[in-house]
mmCIF file of all heavy atoms in Angstrom:
data_model
loop_
_atom_site.group_PDB
_atom_site.id
_atom_site.type_symbol
_atom_site.label_atom_id
_atom_site.label_comp_id
_atom_site.label_asym_id
_atom_site.label_seq_id
_atom_site.Cartn_x
_atom_site.Cartn_y
_atom_site.Cartn_z
ATOM 1 N N LEU A 1 -116.506 -113.147 57.376
ATOM 2 C CA LEU A 1 -117.679 -113.613 58.135
ATOM 3 C C LEU A 1 -117.549 -113.398 59.572
ATOM 4 O O LEU A 1 -118.509 -113.074 60.288
ATOM 5 C CB LEU A 1 -117.861 -115.201 57.869
ATOM 6 C CG LEU A 1 -118.284 -115.479 56.449
ATOM 7 C CD1 LEU A 1 -118.327 -117.018 56.214
ATOM 8 C CD2 LEU A 1 -119.622 -114.880 56.152
ATOM 9 N N ALA A 2 -116.418 -113.536 60.231
ATOM 10 C CA ALA A 2 -116.215 -113.264 61.570
ATOM 11 C C ALA A 2 -116.498 -111.855 61.902
ATOM 12 O O ALA A 2 -117.105 -111.449 62.940
ATOM 13 C CB ALA A 2 -114.834 -113.668 62.062
ATOM 14 N N ALA A 3 -116.129 -110.934 61.080
ATOM 15 C CA ALA A 3 -116.283 -109.443 61.276
ATOM 16 C C ALA A 3 -117.897 -109.239 61.242
ATOM 17 O O ALA A 3 -118.372 -108.469 62.023
ATOM 18 C CB ALA A 3 -115.594 -108.696 60.261
ATOM 19 N N VAL A 4 -118.586 -109.725 60.355
ATOM 20 C CA VAL A 4 -119.993 -109.644 60.314
ATOM 21 C C VAL A 4 -120.740 -110.147 61.505
ATOM 22 O O VAL A 4 -121.548 -109.583 62.086
ATOM 23 C CB VAL A 4 -120.498 -110.204 59.009
ATOM 24 C CG1 VAL A 4 -122.153 -110.260 58.987
ATOM 25 C CG2 VAL A 4 -120.112 -109.557 57.746
ATOM 26 N N ASP A 5 -120.225 -111.267 61.995
ATOM 27 C CA ASP A 5 -120.803 -111.929 63.157
ATOM 28 C C ASP A 5 -120.575 -111.053 64.366
ATOM 29 O O ASP A 5 -121.547 -110.896 65.264
ATOM 30 C CB ASP A 5 -120.067 -113.255 63.432
ATOM 31 C CG ASP A 5 -121.005 -114.417 63.430
ATOM 32 O OD1 ASP A 5 -122.226 -114.202 63.233
ATOM 33 O OD2 ASP A 5 -120.590 -115.555 63.877
ATOM 34 N N LEU A 6 -119.511 -110.365 64.519
ATOM 35 C CA LEU A 6 -119.247 -109.476 65.641
ATOM 36 C C LEU A 6 -119.990 -108.211 65.569
ATOM 37 O O LEU A 6 -120.444 -107.586 66.538
ATOM 38 C CB LEU A 6 -117.736 -109.176 65.768
ATOM 39 C CG LEU A 6 -116.908 -110.380 66.089
ATOM 40 C CD1 LEU A 6 -115.451 -109.935 66.117
ATOM 41 C CD2 LEU A 6 -117.166 -110.905 67.439
ATOM 42 N N ALA A 7 -120.295 -107.811 64.326
ATOM 43 C CA ALA A 7 -121.045 -106.419 64.083
ATOM 44 C C ALA A 7 -122.515 -106.602 64.355
ATOM 45 O O ALA A 7 -123.171 -105.597 64.629
ATOM 46 C CB ALA A 7 -120.779 -106.011 62.733
ATOM 47 N N THR A 8 -123.093 -107.762 64.354
ATOM 48 C CA THR A 8 -124.545 -107.909 64.521
ATOM 49 C C THR A 8 -124.846 -108.934 65.695
ATOM 50 O O THR A 8 -125.208 -110.075 65.429
ATOM 51 C CB THR A 8 -125.221 -108.426 63.218
ATOM 52 O OG1 THR A 8 -124.602 -109.633 62.862
ATOM 53 C CG2 THR A 8 -125.049 -107.395 62.088
ATOM 54 N N PRO A 9 -124.680 -108.516 66.869
ATOM 55 C CA PRO A 9 -125.034 -109.414 67.905
ATOM 56 C C PRO A 9 -126.536 -109.728 68.037
ATOM 57 O O PRO A 9 -127.323 -108.838 67.776
ATOM 58 C CB PRO A 9 -124.541 -108.690 69.157
ATOM 59 C CG PRO A 9 -124.602 -107.161 68.775
ATOM 60 C CD PRO A 9 -124.355 -107.161 67.366
ATOM 61 N N ALA A 10 -126.888 -110.902 68.318
ATOM 62 C CA ALA A 10 -128.243 -111.345 68.460
ATOM 63 C C ALA A 10 -128.689 -111.471 69.842
ATOM 64 O O ALA A 10 -129.094 -112.572 70.315
ATOM 65 C CB ALA A 10 -128.420 -112.696 67.675
ATOM 66 N N LEU A 11 -128.627 -110.322 70.535
ATOM 67 C CA LEU A 11 -129.066 -110.362 72.029
ATOM 68 C C LEU A 11 -130.430 -109.818 72.078
ATOM 69 O O LEU A 11 -130.770 -108.803 71.696
ATOM 70 C CB LEU A 11 -128.042 -109.403 72.701
ATOM 71 C CG LEU A 11 -126.620 -109.741 72.748
ATOM 72 C CD1 LEU A 11 -125.717 -108.755 73.530
ATOM 73 C CD2 LEU A 11 -126.341 -111.080 73.424
ATOM 74 N N THR A 12 -131.298 -110.664 72.661
ATOM 75 C CA THR A 12 -132.653 -110.260 72.976
ATOM 76 C C THR A 12 -132.990 -110.522 74.415
ATOM 77 O O THR A 12 -132.218 -111.322 75.025
ATOM 78 C CB THR A 12 -133.718 -111.083 72.093
ATOM 79 O OG1 THR A 12 -133.564 -112.410 72.339
ATOM 80 C CG2 THR A 12 -133.381 -110.872 70.650
ATOM 81 N N ALA A 13 -133.931 -109.864 74.930
ATOM 82 C CA ALA A 13 -134.305 -110.045 76.331
ATOM 83 C C ALA A 13 -135.755 -110.494 76.411
ATOM 84 O O ALA A 13 -136.499 -110.258 75.525
ATOM 85 C CB ALA A 13 -134.133 -108.707 77.081
ATOM 86 N N GLU A 14 -136.022 -111.150 77.533
ATOM 87 C CA GLU A 14 -137.417 -111.505 77.742
ATOM 88 C C GLU A 14 -137.775 -110.807 79.138
ATOM 89 O O GLU A 14 -137.140 -110.981 80.131
ATOM 90 C CB GLU A 14 -137.687 -113.019 77.963
ATOM 91 C CG GLU A 14 -139.118 -113.348 78.147
ATOM 92 C CD GLU A 14 -139.440 -114.878 78.186
ATOM 93 O OE1 GLU A 14 -138.463 -115.677 78.117
ATOM 94 O OE2 GLU A 14 -140.557 -115.184 78.363
ATOM 95 N N LEU A 15 -138.805 -109.929 78.997
ATOM 96 C CA LEU A 15 -139.202 -109.110 80.245
ATOM 97 C C LEU A 15 -140.509 -109.701 80.716
ATOM 98 O O LEU A 15 -141.518 -109.912 79.922
ATOM 99 C CB LEU A 15 -139.337 -107.667 79.781
ATOM 100 C CG LEU A 15 -138.105 -107.026 79.167
ATOM 101 C CD1 LEU A 15 -138.424 -105.622 78.770
ATOM 102 C CD2 LEU A 15 -136.949 -106.953 80.249
ATOM 103 N N HIS A 16 -140.673 -109.869 81.998
ATOM 104 C CA HIS A 16 -141.851 -110.390 82.578
ATOM 105 C C HIS A 16 -142.585 -109.300 83.404
ATOM 106 O O HIS A 16 -141.983 -108.476 84.040
ATOM 107 C CB HIS A 16 -141.509 -111.553 83.497
ATOM 108 C CG HIS A 16 -141.017 -112.750 82.769
ATOM 109 N ND1 HIS A 16 -141.924 -113.798 82.359
ATOM 110 C CD2 HIS A 16 -139.714 -113.063 82.382
ATOM 111 C CE1 HIS A 16 -141.176 -114.644 81.705
ATOM 112 N NE2 HIS A 16 -139.883 -114.295 81.691
ATOM 113 N N ILE A 17 -143.961 -109.371 83.341
ATOM 114 C CA ILE A 17 -144.728 -108.457 84.140
ATOM 115 C C ILE A 17 -145.735 -109.298 84.891
ATOM 116 O O ILE A 17 -146.329 -110.266 84.326
ATOM 117 C CB ILE A 17 -145.533 -107.572 83.138
ATOM 118 C CG1 ILE A 17 -144.609 -106.800 82.285
ATOM 119 C CG2 ILE A 17 -146.457 -106.585 83.824
ATOM 120 C CD1 ILE A 17 -145.123 -106.254 81.027
ATOM 121 N N ALA A 18 -145.951 -108.948 86.118
ATOM 122 C CA ALA A 18 -147.024 -109.603 86.946
ATOM 123 C C ALA A 18 -147.613 -108.638 87.971
ATOM 124 O O ALA A 18 -147.080 -107.605 88.264
ATOM 125 C CB ALA A 18 -146.328 -110.745 87.813
ATOM 126 N N VAL A 19 -148.868 -108.817 88.348
ATOM 127 C CA VAL A 19 -149.534 -107.946 89.145
ATOM 128 C C VAL A 19 -148.872 -107.814 90.563
ATOM 129 O O VAL A 19 -149.082 -106.907 91.284
ATOM 130 C CB VAL A 19 -151.086 -108.324 89.319
ATOM 131 C CG1 VAL A 19 -151.847 -108.139 88.000
ATOM 132 C CG2 VAL A 19 -151.276 -109.705 89.778
ATOM 133 N N ASN A 20 -148.092 -108.823 90.966
ATOM 134 C CA ASN A 20 -147.467 -108.780 92.297
ATOM 135 C C ASN A 20 -145.976 -108.329 92.004
ATOM 136 O O ASN A 20 -145.120 -108.421 93.033
ATOM 137 C CB ASN A 20 -147.461 -110.078 92.938
ATOM 138 C CG ASN A 20 -146.745 -111.245 92.220
ATOM 139 O OD1 ASN A 20 -146.480 -111.084 90.993
ATOM 140 N ND2 ASN A 20 -146.505 -112.304 92.899
ATOM 141 N N GLY A 21 -145.594 -107.816 90.922
ATOM 142 C CA GLY A 21 -144.232 -107.368 90.670
ATOM 143 C C GLY A 21 -144.044 -105.920 91.093
ATOM 144 O O GLY A 21 -144.846 -105.337 91.674
ATOM 145 N N SER A 22 -142.859 -105.377 90.733
ATOM 146 C CA SER A 22 -142.464 -104.003 91.046
ATOM 147 C C SER A 22 -141.687 -103.406 89.878
ATOM 148 O O SER A 22 -140.817 -104.199 89.300
ATOM 149 C CB SER A 22 -141.665 -103.942 92.343
ATOM 150 O OG SER A 22 -141.198 -102.676 92.540
ATOM 151 N N ASP A 23 -141.936 -102.165 89.615
ATOM 152 C CA ASP A 23 -141.068 -101.554 88.428
ATOM 153 C C ASP A 23 -139.587 -101.447 88.887
ATOM 154 O O ASP A 23 -138.815 -100.997 88.148
ATOM 155 C CB ASP A 23 -141.727 -100.287 87.985
ATOM 156 C CG ASP A 23 -142.949 -100.591 87.163
ATOM 157 O OD1 ASP A 23 -143.127 -101.756 86.698
ATOM 158 O OD2 ASP A 23 -143.712 -99.583 86.942
ATOM 159 N N GLU A 24 -139.324 -101.660 90.194
ATOM 160 C CA GLU A 24 -138.010 -101.578 90.687
ATOM 161 C C GLU A 24 -137.230 -102.888 90.472
ATOM 162 O O GLU A 24 -136.047 -102.964 90.534
ATOM 163 C CB GLU A 24 -137.883 -101.213 92.154
ATOM 164 C CG GLU A 24 -138.587 -99.878 92.501
ATOM 165 C CD GLU A 24 -137.839 -98.712 91.917
ATOM 166 O OE1 GLU A 24 -136.612 -98.736 91.910
ATOM 167 O OE2 GLU A 24 -138.528 -97.839 91.422
ATOM 168 N N ASN A 25 -137.920 -103.946 90.085
ATOM 169 C CA ASN A 25 -137.345 -105.230 89.767
ATOM 170 C C ASN A 25 -136.549 -105.258 88.466
ATOM 171 O O ASN A 25 -136.670 -104.321 87.664
ATOM 172 C CB ASN A 25 -138.393 -106.384 89.769
ATOM 173 C CG ASN A 25 -138.931 -106.575 91.153
ATOM 174 O OD1 ASN A 25 -138.379 -106.150 92.252
ATOM 175 N ND2 ASN A 25 -140.047 -107.253 91.225
ATOM 176 N N SER A 26 -135.966 -106.345 88.191
ATOM 177 C CA SER A 26 -135.137 -106.519 86.979
ATOM 178 C C SER A 26 -135.915 -106.882 85.721
ATOM 179 O O SER A 26 -135.518 -106.749 84.550
ATOM 180 C CB SER A 26 -134.008 -107.495 87.134
ATOM 181 O OG SER A 26 -134.707 -108.749 87.303
ATOM 182 N N GLY A 27 -137.176 -107.370 85.926
ATOM 183 C CA GLY A 27 -137.984 -107.834 84.789
ATOM 184 C C GLY A 27 -137.812 -109.272 84.432
ATOM 185 O O GLY A 27 -138.401 -109.801 83.573
ATOM 186 N N ALA A 28 -136.993 -109.955 85.270
ATOM 187 C CA ALA A 28 -136.734 -111.394 85.025
ATOM 188 C C ALA A 28 -137.991 -112.158 85.575
ATOM 189 O O ALA A 28 -138.879 -111.652 86.227
ATOM 190 C CB ALA A 28 -135.522 -111.820 85.838
ATOM 191 N N ARG A 29 -138.073 -113.413 85.203
ATOM 192 C CA ARG A 29 -139.202 -114.214 85.582
ATOM 193 C C ARG A 29 -139.437 -114.250 87.093
ATOM 194 O O ARG A 29 -140.528 -114.143 87.584
ATOM 195 C CB ARG A 29 -139.060 -115.682 85.115
ATOM 196 C CG ARG A 29 -140.173 -116.638 85.470
ATOM 197 C CD ARG A 29 -139.989 -118.032 85.036
ATOM 198 N NE ARG A 29 -140.208 -118.194 83.657
ATOM 199 C CZ ARG A 29 -141.393 -118.390 83.023
ATOM 200 N NH1 ARG A 29 -142.506 -118.267 83.734
ATOM 201 N NH2 ARG A 29 -141.545 -118.477 81.706
ATOM 202 N N LYS A 30 -138.362 -114.334 87.829
ATOM 203 C CA LYS A 30 -138.443 -114.303 89.293
ATOM 204 C C LYS A 30 -138.598 -112.984 89.929
ATOM 205 O O LYS A 30 -138.825 -112.853 91.152
ATOM 206 C CB LYS A 30 -137.273 -115.127 89.847
ATOM 207 C CG LYS A 30 -137.248 -116.582 89.555
ATOM 208 C CD LYS A 30 -136.086 -117.349 90.132
ATOM 209 C CE LYS A 30 -136.263 -118.785 89.871
ATOM 210 N NZ LYS A 30 -135.284 -119.524 90.511
ATOM 211 N N SER A 31 -138.408 -111.966 89.204
ATOM 212 C CA SER A 31 -138.520 -110.536 89.782
ATOM 213 C C SER A 31 -139.176 -109.709 88.676
ATOM 214 O O SER A 31 -138.531 -108.874 88.062
ATOM 215 C CB SER A 31 -137.239 -109.956 90.218
ATOM 216 O OG SER A 31 -136.255 -109.924 89.103
#
């Protein structure tokens, strides 16, 4: 079970878009 857990990481990202943003930013809520 430990081997299966390491093989399938559950990493997801939340990317934010705003009219005052920049494509040079990181996509985080504050940038």
Side-chain angles (χ1 to χ4, degrees):
L1 290 175
V4 170
D5 238 5
L6 295 174
T8 57
L11 298 176
T12 61
E14 182 174 4
L15 303 172
H16 291 267
I17 303 161
V19 292
N20 63 344
S22 169
D23 286 344
E24 299 297 319
N25 290 344
S26 67
R29 179 181 285 279
K30 293 185 177 182
S31 60

